[in-house]
């Protein structure tokens, strides 16, 4: 990525400064995508931390102060809080400003925010499909969006130039941009993100509740697969509570299909149908290869974990081959 000759926006206001807000601020500053960056967050502790970290030009106490004179406002709070923020800022937005968000569900955000925004602003909801299991302002980093997708879900009557300008902003942050209707976004993300999170949350909870296998055994032998689920299941509880409430219909639809497929695999196992299991696992292996091929994950085995060196100590005498 190279720094822009000209900023795309004059004044960027970020409402919410966790993983996503903090990453946008860092990336926008590194790329010169906005002339100035003003940040606010709900709690004094977060605002203080943002000021200490120094990734914004200004840290202000209220949403109203943040949006004053801003030509791009990005709401970076949990999905369930977006409507309240829109109600608060709606009457004070600068004419011609673009208002966006980063919520992981788009239909609910459109429904909750749009009624509070005046016709004099451009509302272009967005979802950067990038993240980690960490939250808060310390967890953000400028490279988070590089080679990740950012999906824009503008309403049908949205201004084309405003959409293109926001797309240019996300491209400057390193993202690939795609546009689609909000309901389609919610269906796609229900399969690729929301259902996997629900499964991870379930498995980790189930393992934790198994009486006959102790918690210490679950942790000790987690490299058998369990630990890869724990990363996802460590994601922010507020964010994910809101995602499942806001995208209930699409997730329930996908959960129905998942349950049918699970029943199919269960039947194959019970009836000893090895061919069915083998065919299924071959198909899923090809999907993993496809993800690596399009650059959405690294080809390094085991997510690039290091395995340490071989034991330095010589084998105990009884197990050593005797050359004498
Ligand atoms: P985060 O690190 O937990 O930060 C959330 C921010 O929102 C904090 O500044 C927090 O303020 C503020 N906030 C929380 N509840 C609020 C409320 N009720 N009213 C006003 N502000 C509130 O979360 P994040 O990961 O950045 O997620 C933010 C948004 O990005 C969510 O909509 C999420 O769906 C979306 N998203 C997340 C990811 C991901 O992987 N994490 C990826 C893509 C999109 P305080 O710190 O002051 O409490």
């Amino acid at each position: 990525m190279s720094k822009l000759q000209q900023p795309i926006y004059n004044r960027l206001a970020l409402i919410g400064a966790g993983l996503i807000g903090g990453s946008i601020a860092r990336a926008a500053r590194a790329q010169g995508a906005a002339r100035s960056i003003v940040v606010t967050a709900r709690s004094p502790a977060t605002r203080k931390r943002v000021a200490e970290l120094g990734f914004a030009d200004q840290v202000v106490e209220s949403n109203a102060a943040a949006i004053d004179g801003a030509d791009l406002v990005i709401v970076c709070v949990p999905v369930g809080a977006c409507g309240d923020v829109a109600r608060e800022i709606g009457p004070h937005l600068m004419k011609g400003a673009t208002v966006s968000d980063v919520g992981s569900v788009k239909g609910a955000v459109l429904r909750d925010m749009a009624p509070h925004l005046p016709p004099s602003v451009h509302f272009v909801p967005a979802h950067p499909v990038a993240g980690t299991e960490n939250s808060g302002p310390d967890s953000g980093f400028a490279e988070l969006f590089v080679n990740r997708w950012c999906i824009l879900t503008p309403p049908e009557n949205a201004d084309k130039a405003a959409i293109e300008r926001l797309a240019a902003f996300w491209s400057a942050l390193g993202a690939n941009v795609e546009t689609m209707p909000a309901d389609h976004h919610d269906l796609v993300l229900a399969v690729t993100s929301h259902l996997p999170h629900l499964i991870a949350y379930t498995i980790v909870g189930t393992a934790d509740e198994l009486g006959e296998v102790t918690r210490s055994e679950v942790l000790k032998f987690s490299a058998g697969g369990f630990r890869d689920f724990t990363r996802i299941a460590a994601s922010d509880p507020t964010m994910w509570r809101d995602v499942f409430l806001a995208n209930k219909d699409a997730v329930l639809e996908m959960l129905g299909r998942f349950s049918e497929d699970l029943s199919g695999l269960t039947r194959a196992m019970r009836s000893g149908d090895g061919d069915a299991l083998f065919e299924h696992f071959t198909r899923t292996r090809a999907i993993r290869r496809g993800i690596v091929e399009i650059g959405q994950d690294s080809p390094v085995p085991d997510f690039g974990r290091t395995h340490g060196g071989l034991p330095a100590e010589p084998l105990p005498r009884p197990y050593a081959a005797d050359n004498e």
Side-chain angles (χ1 to χ4, degrees), residues 16-20 42-43 46 77-79 81 102-104 127-128 130-131 135-136 239:
L19 170 69
I20 301 296
R42 174 182 59 167
S43 69
T46 299
V77 304
V79 167
V102 291
S104 308
H127 175 205
S135 26
M239 167 184 160

Side-chain angles (χ1 to χ4, degrees), residues 29-107:
R29 170 174 273 186
Q31 294 298 89
R35 194 162 276 120
S36 68
I37 300 170
V38 55
V39 169
T40 190
R42 174 182 59 167
S43 69
T46 299
R47 296 196 296 267
K48 181 168 175 282
R49 188 63 190 139
V50 173
E52 285 164 2
L53 290 167
F55 56 69
D57 298 303
Q58 243 186 304
V59 184
V60 296
E61 287 193 10
S62 68
N63 294 345
I67 63 164
D68 189 23
D71 52 354
L72 176 61
V73 176
I74 307 184
V75 178
C76 305
V77 304
V79 167
C82 287
D84 285 345
V85 171
R87 186 184 305 116
E88 192 191 333
I89 63 176
H92 312 292
L93 288 160
M94 191 176 83
K95 200 164 169 245
T98 292
V99 178
S100 190
D101 76 305
V102 291
S104 308
V105 180
K106 301 287 23 126

Side-chain angles (χ1 to χ4, degrees), residues 317 320-324:
R317 189 76 202 148
D322 204 339
N323 294 325
E324 290 165 26

Side-chain angles (χ1 to χ4, degrees), residues 108-303:
V109 163
L110 200 60
R111 181 198 66 209
D112 294 349
M113 289 184 74
H116 303 296
L117 303 175
S120 58
V121 304
H122 306 294
F123 182 36
V124 187
H127 175 205
V129 187
T132 73
E133 64 277 30
N134 298 329
S135 26
D138 284 271
S139 63
F141 53 100
E143 299 78 15
L144 179 64
F145 310 110
V146 175
N147 202 23
R148 296 287 165 260
W149 286 95
C150 181
I151 302 174
L152 307 185
T153 61
E156 268 176 17
N157 57 351
D159 181 75
K160 257 187 129 199
I163 299 170
E164 278 164 19
R165 197 171 170 201
L166 187 66
F169 175 83
W170 278 106
S171 298
L173 271 48
N176 307 313
V177 181
E178 187 148 319
T179 301
M180 64 176 73
D183 56 349
H184 188 68
H185 166 279
D186 289 354
L187 203 60
V188 173
L189 270 289
V191 191
T192 58
S193 169
H194 307 169
L195 188 59
H197 275 79
L198 193 66
I199 293 168
Y201 279 125
T202 313
I203 290 180
V204 175
T206 306
D208 191 45
E209 284 155 21
L210 281 179
E212 59 275 29
V213 178
T214 65
R215 175 184 269 262
S216 65
E217 283 174 310
V218 170
L219 302 182
K220 188 165 144 191
F221 300 117
S222 64
F226 181 73
R227 70 177 177 192
D228 290 344
F229 285 103
T230 60
R231 185 192 72 74
I232 299 180
S235 301
D236 188 68
T238 306
M239 167 184 160
W240 283 96
R241 175 202 62 197
D242 285 9
V243 167
F244 290 119
L245 294 178
N247 201 23
K248 182 172 64 181
D249 292 343
V251 177
L252 289 176
E253 164 69 24
M254 292 306 158
L255 197 55
R257 295 188 195 198
F258 172 79
S259 304
E260 283 172 24
D261 292 347
L262 186 61
S263 301
L265 285 179
T266 311
R267 245 192 335 271
M269 224 165 37
R270 189 173 288 126
S271 63
D273 187 350
D275 287 348
L277 295 175
F278 188 83
E279 189 274 321
H280 188 96
F281 301 157
T282 305
R283 202 152 45 87
T284 55
R285 187 178 227 190
I287 290 175
R288 168 74 192 162
R289 261 192 234 117
I291 290 172
V292 170
E293 271 163 27
I294 62 168
Q296 289 300 299
D297 207 352
S298 146
V300 183
D302 199 17
F303 299 129

